[in-house]
Amino acid sequence: MDQDMLSKNSEGSDGGQFFGGRGYPRSLVWQSRSHSLDKSNRQFLLLTDHEIRCFAIELSPSLNVSKIWTHEFVGTDGDLGIQKDLAGQKRIWPLDLQIDNDGKVITDLIAIFCKDRVTSSSYTEYSLLTMQYKSGVNVSSECVQPHERILEKKAPIQVIIPKARVEDEEFLFSMRLKVGGKPAGSVVILSGDGTATVSHYWRNSTRIYQFDLPYDAGRVLDASVFPSDDGEDGAWAVLTENAGVWAIPERAVLLGGVEPPERSLSCKGSSNERSSVEERKNLSFAGNIASRRAASEA
């Protein structure tokens, strides 16, 4: 399903098309079937550069698409999502969104381009915005009222990495978000260069764990969650380019997670790179000590 098809088949209550020069789609996810009263209809959510839009599609030869509701989460009201035009903010990029298995909680991955007013240096802040359906709201297409507020913040915005390297838009829009694995409430962020980062909130702080193998496993192509017999979230699993499927145990995430450093969600900032840098520093430091010792003995 692409933008052209939606533009041709969809008209809102104001008679205008849903897509113009502003608000082009960033991500699309299907809603749970429980949100539709009729089995021949399905709902999906569309993420744009400033809002979430919910559509209903009639699974018939005519393939009719209609907009049900819209929630603008990037605007002047921070209670609805992210407040824009704050000091230091230059641009906000909604990158991806996912829905939990129950179809009730929506998580958005956000990148904010900022500029330090003191040093004039630029950086990117990565955050998670978690929203949920308001209590008592019926989200079936037959029951939603015009301009009815459907979503609300489930929790304050969670900053994953406060000051990361500035990336180009192609890299940013290659990021994908996954939800539902252990530890409970954790997410996996997949970057276009094949990096997988687990983020979770633990002991009143955000911690991240970047998946790395001691040998070249290639890029991480995808991530999912192992099924669990107890009905709870299973462990994260990643599909690698050269080493097959690997599980990420909950214990590894909890013990190996670190506080967000000033780096990116790419392999440029992986632990392998940090190890090489530290090794070069240690070799240089050892060489300096050896030189000073030789000079003193002479």
Side-chain angles (χ1 to χ4, degrees):
M1 183 179 305
D2 57 22
Q3 177 177 337
D4 292 337
M5 187 277 288
L6 288 174
S7 297
K8 292 177 182 178
N9 291 279
S10 307
E11 291 191 354
S13 58
D14 59 356
Q17 289 186 340
F18 293 147
F19 301 104
R22 181 174 180 266
Y24 58 89
R26 303 287 173 84
S27 178
L28 184 153
V29 293
W30 290 100
Q31 259 292 16
S32 169
R33 289 186 179 274
S34 62
H35 289 249
S36 301
L37 297 179
D38 190 345
K39 292 183 179 180
S40 64
N41 286 274
R42 288 294 304 275
Q43 292 185 12
F44 61 89
L45 301 183
L46 198 68
L47 177 69
T48 75
D49 63 345
H50 66 290
E51 62 187 9
I52 297 174
R53 304 175 184 182
C54 180
F55 295 88
I57 180 171
E58 182 182 344
L59 303 178
S60 65
S62 60
L63 203 65
N64 293 322
V65 181
S66 58
K67 184 169 68 173
I68 303 176
W69 54 262
T70 298
H71 179 85
E72 185 175 11
F73 64 91
V74 178
T76 56
D77 189 351
D79 292 336
L80 299 180
I82 298 178
Q83 186 174 352
K84 64 179 182 179
D85 300 328
L86 295 178
Q89 280 186 2
K90 296 301 179 183
R91 190 168 180 183
I92 299 175
W93 286 281
L95 302 179
D96 197 11
L97 88 163
Q98 285 291 310
I99 310 174
D100 68 344
N101 291 331
D102 296 327
K104 297 179 180 179
V105 178
I106 301 171
T107 305
D108 298 311
L109 175 63
I110 310 291
I112 303 177
F113 176 63
C114 305
K115 190 169 186 178
D116 192 301
R117 292 185 296 174
V118 177
T119 64
S120 297
S121 60
S122 299
Y123 60 91
T124 303
E125 177 184 282
Y126 293 97
S127 304
L128 293 175
L129 172 63
T130 305
M131 292 178 288
Q132 63 186 4
Y133 287 94
K134 296 189 66 176
S135 177
V137 171
N138 191 328
V139 293
S140 63
S141 57
E142 296 83 359
C143 301
V144 175
Q145 300 299 317
H147 309 297
E148 182 178 5
R149 184 175 295 182
I150 303 297
L151 302 178
E152 63 183 2
K153 269 187 179 180
K154 186 177 186 294
I157 296 175
Q158 178 185 345
V159 177
I160 303 174
I161 298 183
K163 288 188 176 182
R165 180 174 48 252
V166 175
E167 308 280 4
D168 57 32
E169 284 193 344
E170 183 178 357
F171 178 84
L172 291 176
F173 292 146
S174 72
M175 292 185 178
R176 291 177 291 153
L177 180 67
K178 302 289 184 177
V179 299
K182 286 185 176 180
S186 64
V187 302
V188 165
I189 300 166
L190 301 174
S191 300
D193 63 355
T195 306
T197 303
V198 184
S199 173
H200 70 291
Y201 193 74
W202 191 51
R203 293 183 177 177
N204 299 321
S205 67
T206 299
R207 304 180 73 84
I208 61 173
Y209 172 88
Q210 195 163 69
F211 175 77
D212 268 326
L213 290 178
Y215 54 89
D216 183 19
R219 297 176 300 142
V220 174
L221 303 177
D222 204 355
S224 188
V225 179
F226 278 119
S228 176
D229 295 333
D230 56 10
E232 297 182 356
D233 297 328
W236 285 108
V238 293
L239 173 63
T240 65
E241 190 174 24
N242 301 326
V245 177
W246 284 75
I248 304 179
E250 179 181 15
R251 183 177 177 84
V253 177
L254 293 176
L255 297 181
V258 297
E259 293 185 359
E262 294 187 8
R263 61 181 176 88
S264 184
L265 296 170
S266 68
C267 61
K268 299 175 185 177
S270 68
S271 60
N272 288 340
E273 183 200 23
R274 295 197 307 276
S275 298
S276 300
V277 172
E278 290 299 325
E279 184 178 358
R280 288 195 295 270
K281 287 182 179 179
N282 293 337
L283 289 174
S284 176
F285 181 69
N288 291 336
I289 292 178
S291 299
R292 289 197 297 269
R293 181 178 298 171
S296 62
E297 290 176 353

